[in-house]
Structures are given as structure tokens and as C-alpha cells.
Amino acid sequence: MNKLLIEVPSHIESDEELSGWVQENSKLFWGAMDLDASQFDDRANVDGVTITEVEVDETTVAIHYEYHYSAYYGCRDMDYSDTVEESVIVGTRQGRTISFEKFKPIERRSTVDEF
């Protein structure tokens, strides 16, 4: 299945409440977010995700987010961290269900085919 389906609790009645609920439950939406820190470094790990804004209307939910990542090299003294700012995912809202396309990382190129 290529869709991430999130069921909104029945006590959420307004767009403002939905926006707050999304911010409080950000981990539910990670499957749709581009959290691929390996594009910066093969050893990079995501350290945290922050939802910066949630836009809600009758048919969509747009989640703006950023994530923090770091890479640890130990004895090589090359450790570092950074933040990827302002990414967005947009989901379709139908009744009490919000659906997002699941994130699919781009396949890494291999040098095996070069010869």
C-alpha cells in the first residue's frame, strides 16, 4: 500500500483542533515525510522532527516540517549536525481520515553497473 492513512480521533471537531492534534502527534505522519538524511551523509541519522505549521481546509491537510540530523564519526573528529528546513507534505482529508502518499526514498546509484 502506497498510502499512509491516519484516523482522526472523534473528539477533534474543528480545523484548529485538528491542527493542534497533528502538531502533538507528529510521529504518526513520519511515514509520509522525506526524512532521508543519508542524502547528506551515509552515516547521518534523524535526531528530531519539528512541525512548523499545519494548514487545514475542507479537503486537504498541509504539514510544514523541518528535521534535525547528525553524523557521528567518533575518532575522526568529523561529527556534525544540521537542520533541513521547510519541507511540506499535503494529504487528502475525507471524513475522519487523512491520507498521504508514503515517502519512497530514491534508490542509490551503484558503481557496479559502471564496468
Side-chain angles (χ1 to χ4, degrees), residues 1-61:
M1 177 182 265
N2 293 330
K3 294 275 188 184
L4 175 67
L5 301 175
I6 307 292
E7 197 67 32
V8 177
S10 60
H11 69 276
I12 304 297
E13 295 181 7
S14 70
D15 291 350
E16 291 173 350
E17 288 177 337
L18 178 58
S19 177
W21 179 80
V22 168
Q23 289 185 333
E24 292 170 4
N25 294 280
S26 67
K27 285 187 179 184
L28 293 175
F29 304 91
W30 285 12
M33 295 177 178
D34 177 356
L35 302 177
D36 183 13
S38 69
Q39 63 186 317
F40 305 108
D41 188 294
D42 287 335
R43 292 185 180 207
N45 293 305
V46 174
D47 298 325
V49 176
T50 303
I51 293 179
T52 57
E53 182 181 0
V54 178
E55 298 174 67
V56 177
D57 66 28
E58 290 180 14
T59 59
T60 61
V61 175

Side-chain angles (χ1 to χ4, degrees), residues 57-103:
D57 66 28
E58 290 180 14
T59 59
T60 61
V61 175
I63 302 173
H64 299 259
Y65 66 97
E66 61 187 28
Y67 68 92
H68 315 284
Y69 68 92
S70 62
Y72 177 71
Y73 281 88
C75 63
R76 289 180 38 189
D77 194 29
M78 294 175 56
D79 302 341
Y80 69 92
S81 63
D82 202 358
T83 300
V84 175
E85 298 178 1
E86 203 56 46
S87 296
V88 65
I89 56 171
V90 178
T92 304
R93 183 178 176 189
Q94 189 171 20
R96 294 211 149 299
T97 304
I98 307 170
S99 65
F100 293 90
E101 290 293 324
K102 286 185 180 178
F103 173 71

